[in-house]
Amino acid sequence: MWPGLIGTADSNDAEEISYCTDSCNVVIFGETGAGKSSLINLILGSEMAETSCDAKGCTPGTKEYVHDIAIQNKILKVKLFDTAGLNEGSEGTVPAEEARKVLKKFLQKRMGQDGIHLLIYCVQGAKQGPQGMKALCRNYKLCSEVTGRIPIVLVVTGLENMQEEMEDWWKYNERFISEHKMTFAGHACITTLPGDATLKERHDQSHLAVCKLIEECSTSGNGHKSNGPKKIVLFGETGAGKSSIVNLMAGKKVADTSPDMKRCTMQWKDHNIDFDGKSYTVFDTVGLEQPHLDVSDYLDSVENAYRLIKELDRQGGIDLLLFCIRAGRVTATIQSNYRLFYEFLCEKKVPIVLVLTHLEREHRMEDWWERQQNIFERYGIQAAGHACITAANGLDGRHRDHYEESRVTVRELVEKFTADEQDPAWIGGHNRFVSLMRKLKDLLPEHLDLNLRRKDIASRLMQRCSLSSDAARQLADMIKQV
């Protein structure tokens, strides 16, 4: 069954519908006149929210709407929070500066209560001139800084008269959005006008698109403190000791330490480990072996990154990055791996810690960091924490003491940065995958052209990633445009 209101469900499907007891808390924000209240009416299928045609906003404070909506084969209880417009000026119902403060305070309060699962940034597509795009950046920054890893999706309204497909708005503006470091977990280009004979198709299409965004949020578990294993992505060059770190944390052999994985960027193995009463899933990944990718490596990365992000999303997101580095000279490859995982894959939204290995010969392992810390800063490698360790098992004497000390150090580091009071796990999603692919091209040599036909890229994505033909063509277009 397609997304819709409970009242629209076919009675023949009644037995197949499952009811979710949890609520999905959705906060809608944006400029005055962007159509936030109309968007709520579109989602709910009724005129529950008051709307206005003039420039003065009709929502002086935050209003809450609780409703059950049918999304595919389940009923989801949704709490929609309609907030005051952010740009009414001094004459508006809520002055602009006050509206920003009120929104910021509201977001902080909601996060301390039963959470926020999704932020919908509502913008009026027909009014996005230079000033509008400037406001787009300003408001995005305001909310993303307050809410951290809570997903933000972009809903562009007012596209009912667009001669081309409504989705073309995104195609025309995607580069600007990416260049200004705005990343959205999803988007929908829509109209909120009631569906008369000429607009009915676009109105129904809009309803489905927005409900799908909410559905993806609810199924991925965004905004919840997960009760399942914490998800850790462990990365670094081959030979740095990643698999040995997994065994060190586990207190037993769970990972094969031989180099049996193909040296293919973003390929991974996952290991389930437990210690101190907590459970973790560690994704042991293969990073870059050279600071630059060739075309073959790039396409391998496309495939493997897609699978990795899909698997991480399926399991609830990423809680922590562990960057494994063999103590020694900081290289361009180390810097590229840092950018690949922390900046590109996780967009700086996941805490990253450094695990510096092969320090068993140091009298005091921490001494190495005190000598070398400034070099990492010089390379722009910043981390929330670090551990100087040895992961070499089977040693004796002082080296054995170092090994046991290392186990304690790494476990404490992991526990600290995956504690329940930390932000919810970060979810990637389709749009962030495309963003990753765009940024990955920065690691292609400048003289090397990605001279591949869209048809060939789409065919490979369909065969190797099991994408539908439409999704593969869309993604191939995006890759070629970057």
Side-chain angles (χ1 to χ4, degrees), residues 31-35 52-55 123-135 156-159 169:
E31 299 281 296
T32 300
S52 173
C53 296
D54 58 29
V123 302
Q124 170 62 255
K127 298 180 180 178
Q128 290 304 306
Q131 290 302 317
M133 297 308 273
K134 216 182 264 189
V156 186
T157 65
L159 299 178
W169 186 97

Side-chain angles (χ1 to χ4, degrees), residues 16-239:
E16 301 178 8
I17 296 176
S18 62
Y19 288 79
C20 298
T21 56
D22 292 337
S23 294
C24 182
N25 300 328
V26 181
V27 175
I28 301 175
F29 72 99
E31 299 281 296
T32 300
K36 301 185 299 298
S37 300
S38 297
L39 175 59
I40 287 175
N41 291 334
L42 175 75
I43 296 169
L44 302 182
S46 61
E47 300 297 313
M48 294 181 65
E50 180 186 354
T51 60
S52 173
C53 296
D54 58 29
K56 187 176 291 189
C58 59
T59 307
T62 301
K63 293 185 178 180
E64 179 179 337
Y65 302 87
V66 181
H67 206 80
D68 289 348
I69 60 174
I71 300 178
Q72 293 196 39
N73 62 343
K74 67 182 179 183
I75 302 299
L76 178 67
K77 183 181 289 294
V78 177
K79 288 184 182 179
L80 299 172
F81 297 91
D82 189 7
T83 60
L86 293 174
N87 192 30
E88 294 191 10
S90 58
E91 301 300 321
T93 306
V94 183
E97 187 60 33
E98 182 183 343
R100 284 192 287 271
K101 289 179 180 178
V102 168
L103 177 60
K104 186 174 181 179
K105 187 176 180 179
F106 169 74
L107 294 174
Q108 292 170 334
K109 181 179 179 181
R110 287 296 318 167
M111 291 172 66
Q113 296 175 341
D114 57 348
I116 300 171
H117 306 121
L118 182 68
L119 288 163
I120 294 182
Y121 187 179
C122 184
V123 302
Q124 170 62 255
K127 298 180 180 178
Q128 290 304 306
Q131 290 302 317
M133 297 308 273
K134 216 182 264 189
L136 182 71
C137 298
R138 181 177 63 248
N139 297 332
Y140 172 87
K141 184 178 180 181
L142 167 69
C143 289
S144 63
E145 286 179 350
V146 174
T147 57
R149 286 185 255 169
I150 293 172
I152 304 177
V153 296
L154 183 69
V155 173
V156 186
T157 65
L159 299 178
E160 55 275 351
N161 295 321
M162 196 164 183
Q163 292 184 351
E164 302 164 292
E165 293 294 323
M166 293 187 291
E167 179 64 20
D168 286 341
W169 186 97
W170 177 261
K171 294 179 182 178
Y172 298 147
N173 293 281
E174 184 187 10
R175 181 175 292 276
F176 174 91
I177 289 169
S178 177
E179 288 174 349
H180 287 77
K181 304 187 186 314
M182 291 181 283
T183 54
F184 296 99
H187 72 273
C189 298
I190 70 165
T191 176
T192 59
L193 291 184
D196 58 19
T198 58
L199 289 177
K200 186 177 187 311
E201 183 179 352
R202 285 194 167 183
H203 181 269
D204 292 347
Q205 175 187 338
S206 299
H207 174 73
L208 293 173
V210 176
C211 286
K212 185 179 179 182
L213 290 179
I214 297 174
E215 176 202 10
E216 290 173 348
C217 156
S218 66
T219 55
S220 64
N222 280 307
H224 291 285
K225 299 297 184 183
S226 174
N227 293 322
K230 300 294 185 180
K231 308 304 183 298
I232 300 170
V233 172
L234 174 64
F235 68 100
E237 295 177 85
T238 300

Side-chain angles (χ1 to χ4, degrees), residues 283-435:
F283 292 81
D284 181 3
T285 65
V286 176
L288 297 173
E289 298 302 318
Q290 300 295 330
H292 287 287
L293 303 172
D294 59 23
V295 171
S296 176
D297 289 336
Y298 174 81
L299 291 179
D300 283 339
S301 298
V302 170
E303 297 165 11
N304 293 327
Y306 181 81
R307 293 192 187 98
L308 178 60
I309 289 175
K310 290 286 286 184
E311 180 61 20
L312 288 166
D313 285 359
R314 187 185 70 80
Q315 296 200 29
I318 307 174
D319 291 286
L320 180 66
L321 288 172
L322 281 183
F323 188 5
C324 180
I325 301 172
R326 181 173 183 140
R329 185 170 61 89
V330 179
T331 65
T333 301
I334 289 174
Q335 186 182 41
S336 293
N337 270 310
Y338 173 84
R339 295 186 66 201
L340 174 64
F341 284 87
Y342 181 56
E343 296 182 5
F344 295 177
L345 176 63
C346 294
E347 297 175 331
K348 299 183 180 181
K349 294 186 177 181
V350 176
I352 181 172
V353 295
L354 309 181
V355 180
L356 306 146
T357 63
H358 294 81
L359 290 171
E360 56 272 5
R361 297 182 184 278
E362 291 279 342
H363 180 73
R364 177 177 172 269
M365 292 185 289
E366 184 66 19
D367 289 342
W368 189 90
W369 176 256
E370 293 176 0
R371 296 195 303 268
Q372 304 294 330
Q373 179 179 2
N374 63 324
I375 297 177
F376 286 88
E377 294 174 353
R378 197 181 310 154
Y379 274 80
I381 298 174
Q382 299 178 338
H386 73 276
C388 293
I389 69 160
T390 177
N393 200 0
L395 303 178
D396 54 17
R398 178 168 56 86
H399 295 163
R400 185 66 194 177
D401 293 338
H402 277 350
Y403 184 81
E404 295 302 328
E405 175 190 335
S406 298
R407 190 195 319 279
V408 174
T409 301
V410 173
R411 285 182 172 182
E412 288 179 347
L413 195 68
V414 168
E415 288 180 325
K416 176 181 179 181
F417 289 101
T418 60
D420 288 339
E421 60 268 19
Q422 296 291 331
D423 288 339
W426 179 85
I427 298 291
H430 177 73
N431 281 15
R432 287 192 171 98
F433 166 68
V434 174
S435 176

Side-chain angles (χ1 to χ4, degrees), residues 235-299:
F235 68 100
E237 295 177 85
T238 300
K242 301 188 300 295
S243 299
S244 295
I245 289 174
V246 175
N247 294 333
L248 176 73
M249 285 192 290
K252 59 184 179 180
K253 184 175 180 179
V254 296
D256 193 338
T257 56
S258 63
D260 62 344
M261 280 196 293
K262 181 185 175 184
R263 294 188 178 190
C264 182
T265 308
M266 307 295 286
Q267 195 167 350
W268 80 94
K269 288 185 176 180
D270 56 287
H271 306 280
N272 296 315
I273 64 174
D274 300 279
F275 58 83
D276 297 338
K278 298 181 178 66
S279 298
Y280 304 87
T281 301
V282 181
F283 292 81
D284 181 3
T285 65
V286 176
L288 297 173
E289 298 302 318
Q290 300 295 330
H292 287 287
L293 303 172
D294 59 23
V295 171
S296 176
D297 289 336
Y298 174 81
L299 291 179

